[in-house]
Amino acid sequence: MENAKLKIIKKKDVLKFLDSLKKEYDIFVPIEKNGDIRFSKFNSEKDIPWNYRNTKIPPKEIFFPQTETLFSFEAGTSTLSNGSMTFTPIDESKSSAPGNKNYLIFGIRPCDAQAFSLLDKLFGGDDFQDPYYLEKRKQAIIISLACNKPQITCFCTSLKGKPDNEEGADIILFDLGENILTKPITKKGEEFIENLDSWFKEAKKSDVDKKNELMDLSLKKICSGVNLQNIKEKLDEAFDISFWNEIHQKCLGCGICTYLCPTCYCFDITDEIDHVAGGLAPSRGKRIRCWDSCMFPLFTLHASGHNPRLTYKERMRQRIMHKFNYCPENFKEIFCVGCGRCIRNCPVNLDLREVLVSLMSLGSLCKDKKI
Amino acid sequence: MIEKIKEVVKKLFKEDKIDIFIGYGEGTLPLRTTPCFITGPDNIEKLVWNSYCFNNLAVYLPRFFLPQLQKKDLKFPRIGILAKGCDGRSIVGLIKEHQIPRENLYIIGINCSGMIDIEKVQNAVYKMQEVEIVSAKEKSGKVLVENEDNKKVELKKEELLAEVCKNCQYTAPLIYDVLIGEEKRKTKEKERAAFIKEFEKKPLEERWKYFQEQVSKCIRCYACRQACPNCYCKECFADQTRPKWIGATENISDIMFFQIGRILHQAGRCVDCGACVRACPMGIDLRIFTYKLIEDVKEFFGYEAGISLEEAPPLATFKPDDKQEFITEP
């Protein structure tokens, strides 16, 4: 996109700008709460924490909430045959899908925007379409905020990312101090800005220079990285190597790395059933899906009691293989954007970068001792 | 102290007394270390000892002694472990609950002077997320932290101590095979319990509100459970599906059920090591609830967890004069 399309909006006008869009959009912005920053519904009382590095909980929760009702049901009033009950779906619109308003996600980091483009491949792929995710996602406008100050856990540059990565966003913003530089990325983003033209003015060359300078500096600050070239091919041979025997040792088996991952998408489906007071028969309920984690033993527990991923070793291997081998196989993409949340929040400092470095440094895997 | 640790570990491997040693290694982030598993004398140099060795290593022990491993006629490994006072109390609890055999353990006790709370460092100098700490150095009671713009700030360690490390009652383990450093037993029981006494004074509604506020942050990642040495159940009540005790959502009633269940299962067992609090990514004040149980168990049964191998745990014994008011008059 040529420089002509770059616009400027005053930082102090942004709240007013968002406020004016409230009627038309469900707006999500980073908001400080309980000492943390999380994407929440826009509130014109609360300023945008422009200096925030990233949220603890990734914005995937906007399109793919931790708990989502798929439909609800009620016991059929007339059908009671052979002691079994028939359930009738009721009012599907009561699922958590949005009403008429489109979503506007404002100020997510470029890595998380990239994560959306990965999740799109899963939830909106050729094989099947997930209506719950897509209904919210399809019409949404994603406005990302380039990183002036990356964290020490950031390694997006190892995964196609960079502080001003454009993938997955419709518009990208640059924080220049008093002004915000806006750059449309998609047609949708371009139209969005055109329709709201009165808020913006043309960017000057000095603004563009400042942006470039900030981005150069920011890029330099990302000092950790892993060369992941051919990691998929490497892992093709790696399922039963001895490497996995030790790498998991310190893992506690909690769900932090997966729940806080912007690309982890696994979920579990359960029914929540209300019982009529005093009665044993379920009367009504809902089918819900909740985030699930491959790090939990329950994730693969069979009804027979058998568990194919019995120990920490198999579960850790699954997490790495899924992101760096199975997803490249299925979607031609590594499902990691290098946001570093799993590194920063791991209670035992099990650093994914370290795992990847030692994996990549293994010589020819065929020679490696098998289990 | 680290040299002494390495020396002992080296000797243990040389004399073939252990198969694995669990200690702390250099972390990849400032103010962090990482649990470190050593299987031979060659890797001993990896070991470190500093004010960031906060993980309770006892959590790893039950994994090595699972009943199904015994069935396969595998010989249980002999494990050496570095234990701070709190870790040592967890080990006592695990031995008493028959999760780990004492004879397979070689406990290197260490006198701990308290661990640093990372959040406190962050909050001491910088506002949240505004500055990134890139390195930290510790020297004689001081911590020198450096931010991304190369600005350095010197902080006093004692001001950065984790809440759980303040007024520590047992700085070194009560059972050990070798002790490094001298144990300085402190008796600051009252000071340690002060925060709970303060909380107890608040009206019921206020306490209930606090509980709701805190647990509503929960994202059901189970880090509190997984970091706790006491949570070794093969299948947690929260994971059971037949019967299903608890819904899978992050709805407040489900979260409360899980948290109350987890906390109550700690009665007479929690040693107040703070592992759950540190593991929690959402910053839930779990300790205020677990510590209340510790105080109750002390008051009703005169029992403190992880202190002696002989004394029967209150949940495993019955005395005719046991107090019962807490059941009938909550």
Side-chain angles (χ1 to χ4, degrees):
Chain A
M1 199 85 38
E2 63 276 34
N3 281 356
K5 296 209 169 112
L6 301 178
K7 303 264 160 116
I8 286 286
I9 181 169
K10 285 216 161 66
K11 200 189 254 180
K12 63 177 171 54
D13 289 342
V14 169
L15 281 191
K16 276 182 265 168
F17 168 70
L18 290 173
D19 209 34
S20 74
L21 295 170
K22 237 171 28 183
K23 283 207 180 82
E24 219 177 315
Y25 293 94
D26 264 334
I27 307 171
F28 290 84
V29 293
I31 283 182
E32 195 174 330
K33 201 187 162 194
N34 293 331
D36 255 323
I37 290 168
R38 187 165 179 171
F39 275 89
S40 317
K41 279 265 175 76
F42 170 70
N43 170 353
S44 51
E45 307 283 298
K46 289 204 166 171
D47 204 3
I48 308 288
W50 291 103
N51 285 332
Y52 94 109
R53 309 276 171 148
N54 210 347
T55 55
K56 192 165 273 168
I57 298 183
K60 75 173 174 187
E61 65 171 343
I62 300 168
F63 300 133
F64 173 47
Q66 181 159 12
T67 300
E68 187 162 30
T69 303
L70 304 180
F71 58 84
S72 29
F73 48 81
E74 211 159 13
T77 42
S78 59
T79 12
L80 255 176
S81 56
N82 300 331
S84 68
M85 280 192 140
T86 313
F87 294 98
T88 343
I90 52 156
D91 197 3
E92 287 185 34
S93 65
K94 274 188 184 158
S95 73
S96 48
N100 300 324
K101 283 191 192 174
N102 292 333
Y103 280 21
L104 172 70
I105 323 285
F106 182 90
I108 72 170
R109 290 299 174 191
C111 53
D112 289 338
Q114 191 192 343
F116 282 150
S117 78
L118 296 175
L119 290 178
D120 291 348
K121 291 195 165 71
L122 173 93
F123 287 119
D126 296 336
D127 291 344
F128 78 105
Q129 306 260 314
D130 184 285
Y132 303 94
Y133 175 89
L134 290 176
E135 196 179 340
K136 285 169 278 204
R137 174 71 176 102
K138 250 197 261 161
Q139 304 300 327
I141 299 260
I142 311 285
I143 303 180
S144 67
L145 175 63
C147 300
N148 287 355
K149 289 185 162 188
Q151 295 175 296
I152 49 170
T153 40
C154 291
F155 67 115
C156 59
T157 45
S158 306
L159 294 135
K160 292 199 205 165
K162 53 180 179 171
D164 55 347
N165 187 26
E166 297 178 353
E167 195 188 334
D170 297 303
I171 298 166
I172 185 164
L173 309 179
F174 298 87
D175 181 355
L176 306 181
E178 280 177 18
N179 290 326
I180 302 296
L181 182 78
T182 64
K183 178 181 179 186
I185 297 159
T186 61
K187 188 96 189 121
K188 204 200 260 179
E190 213 175 302
E191 283 166 7
F192 178 84
I193 291 184
E194 273 167 20
N195 291 336
L196 297 157
D197 205 36
S198 60
W199 291 93
F200 301 92
K201 58 178 192 195
E202 297 295 315
K204 284 182 282 203
K205 185 175 177 299
S206 59
D207 296 323
V208 180
D209 289 346
K210 186 160 187 195
K211 173 213 113 180
N212 291 339
E213 194 187 315
L214 281 169
M215 286 306 108
D216 283 349
L217 204 67
S218 177
L219 191 62
K220 273 185 205 140
K221 281 194 174 155
I222 299 177
C223 29
S224 69
V226 191
N227 179 2
L228 295 174
Q229 207 181 1
N230 297 331
I231 187 165
K232 195 239 159 217
E233 289 70 26
K234 190 136 201 164
L235 285 170
D236 280 342
E237 309 287 323
F239 190 81
D240 51 4
I241 56 170
S242 57
F243 173 79
W244 307 108
N245 288 349
E246 288 180 359
I247 207 81
H248 68 280
Q249 272 175 323
K250 58 189 168 192
C251 175
L252 293 174
C254 74
I256 292 179
C257 49
T258 49
Y259 279 13
L260 301 188
C261 175
T263 69
C264 273
Y265 54 71
C266 287
F267 56 82
D268 188 22
I269 295 178
T270 50
D271 285 351
E272 284 210 328
I273 293 165
D274 289 342
H275 294 264
V276 181
L280 284 172
S283 64
R284 62 171 181 268
K286 49 189 183 176
R287 179 150 299 174
I288 52 168
R289 72 169 174 200
C290 303
W291 290 354
D292 202 354
S293 168
C294 55
M295 305 310 281
F296 296 153
L298 191 67
F299 190 73
T300 45
L301 183 65
H302 292 183
S304 66
H306 172 67
N307 195 338
R309 291 188 208 135
L310 194 59
T311 71
Y312 294 88
K313 172 184 152 181
E314 290 88 18
R315 300 195 282 268
M316 171 68 74
R317 176 174 63 195
Q318 168 63 21
R319 184 172 147 245
I320 306 292
M321 289 295 259
H322 195 185
K323 291 191 168 304
F324 298 93
N325 183 268
Y326 309 151
C327 281
E329 174 83 36
N330 294 332
F331 307 111
K332 306 277 172 281
E333 296 272 12
I334 289 175
F335 265 47
C336 170
V337 292
C339 73
R341 285 185 179 89
C342 59
I343 302 165
R344 184 165 281 264
N345 295 293
C346 176
V348 293
N349 190 211
L350 205 170
D351 193 321
L352 178 65
R353 293 169 299 185
E354 255 192 346
V355 175
L356 295 173
V357 166
S358 34
L359 194 63
M360 294 308 288
S361 70
L362 293 177
S364 167
L365 290 177
C366 305
K367 284 180 206 150
D368 186 69
K369 199 179 87 200
K370 303 248 168 160
I371 298 163
Chain B
M1 273 175 155
I2 183 61
E3 288 315 313
K4 182 83 188 149
I5 295 170
K6 286 178 185 169
E7 194 184 301
V8 175
V9 178
K10 197 174 273 173
K11 204 165 152 226
L12 287 173
F13 276 117
K14 228 181 213 168
E15 293 173 359
D16 192 28
K17 283 195 175 146
I18 54 168
D19 302 304
I20 302 166
F21 181 77
I22 312 176
Y24 301 94
E26 192 83 51
T28 63
L29 302 174
L31 304 160
R32 299 293 299 265
T33 60
T34 187
C36 180
F37 293 70
I38 289 178
T39 45
D42 304 338
N43 290 324
I44 286 168
E45 285 311 311
K46 279 189 190 167
L47 289 171
V48 298
W49 173 251
N50 53 37
S51 296
Y52 330 126
C53 298
F54 50 68
N55 291 107
N56 185 339
L57 300 178
V59 71
Y60 296 111
L61 291 175
R63 291 184 197 181
F64 291 97
F65 307 106
L66 297 174
Q68 60 262 38
L69 298 176
Q70 201 168 23
K71 269 184 228 154
K72 284 185 197 156
D73 277 339
L74 286 169
K75 230 177 105 202
F76 280 149
R78 297 159 303 161
I79 298 176
I81 185 166
L82 188 68
K84 310 184 289 287
C86 45
D87 307 355
R89 289 178 65 193
S90 291
I91 293 172
V92 169
L94 288 168
I95 295 171
K96 271 165 99 162
E97 292 178 13
H98 306 290
Q99 296 306 309
I100 52 176
R102 175 69 182 95
E103 57 277 16
N104 283 54
L105 298 179
Y106 193 96
I107 303 168
I108 303 184
I110 188 153
N111 183 48
C112 167
S113 59
M115 291 297 149
I116 283 174
D117 182 340
I118 305 172
E119 297 269 312
K120 282 194 184 175
V121 179
Q122 191 77 39
N123 298 338
V125 236
Y126 312 113
K127 228 188 122 207
M128 181 184 49
Q129 294 212 356
E130 287 203 342
V131 170
E132 180 90 334
I133 295 172
V134 297
S135 85
K137 275 188 198 110
E138 197 190 347
K139 210 179 170 187
S140 52
K142 299 243 168 71
V143 183
L144 189 70
V145 290
E146 188 181 342
N147 75 13
E148 61 207 316
D149 302 319
N150 303 101
K151 272 195 197 131
K152 287 178 187 171
V153 185
E154 197 178 72
L155 301 160
K156 281 193 191 128
K157 179 185 162 180
E158 59 182 72
E159 286 164 11
L160 305 171
L161 280 188
E163 284 304 306
V164 75
C165 295
K166 282 186 187 166
N167 300 316
C168 179
Q169 301 284 90
Y170 305 94
T171 59
L174 296 157
I175 59 161
Y176 51 79
D177 296 292
V178 62
L179 180 67
I180 295 173
E182 242 176 85
E183 196 199 346
K184 292 176 205 129
R185 180 74 60 85
K186 294 169 199 160
T187 42
K188 287 189 180 165
E189 219 169 320
K190 271 205 181 127
E191 288 89 333
R192 190 167 176 85
F195 79 107
I196 203 81
K197 297 291 167 211
E198 231 11 77
F199 188 68
E200 280 173 350
K201 280 185 209 151
K202 292 182 181 170
L204 179 68
E205 298 74 38
E206 210 174 303
R207 281 179 282 145
W208 178 240
K209 198 176 152 237
Y210 187 72
F211 176 68
Q212 285 186 309
E213 240 171 49
Q214 288 300 313
V215 298
S216 66
K217 299 185 209 167
C218 177
I219 55 165
R220 299 286 293 271
C221 69
Y222 299 131
C224 50
R225 176 183 81 189
Q226 298 304 112
C228 178
N230 284 338
C231 281
Y232 53 72
C233 283
K234 196 180 160 214
E235 196 181 7
C236 176
F237 75 96
D239 288 343
Q240 280 174 336
T241 48
R242 282 187 185 188
K244 191 171 155 188
W245 304 104
I246 169 176
T249 76
E250 83 285 16
N251 176 295
I252 182 91
S253 64
D254 285 340
I255 301 170
M256 276 202 281
F257 193 5
F258 165 67
Q259 291 292 352
I260 292 172
R262 192 194 77 85
I263 291 163
L264 284 177
H265 280 171
Q266 300 291 345
R269 307 172 64 230
C270 175
V271 300
D272 198 29
C273 69
C276 52
V277 181
R278 282 186 298 255
C280 177
M282 306 312 290
I284 304 175
D285 181 8
L286 295 162
R287 189 174 168 234
I288 200 139
F289 312 116
T290 48
Y291 205 88
K292 169 68 177 149
L293 282 185
I294 291 177
E295 285 292 290
D296 282 357
V297 170
K298 239 190 250 174
E299 188 187 329
F300 294 130
F301 307 104
Y303 181 86
E304 204 174 352
I307 304 302
S308 101
L309 278 173
E310 290 77 31
E311 195 184 351
L315 285 174
T317 182
F318 175 75
K319 293 182 202 136
D321 59 343
D322 273 349
K323 290 197 178 161
Q324 294 179 19
E325 291 91 320
F326 70 98
I327 301 172
T328 52
E329 294 156 31

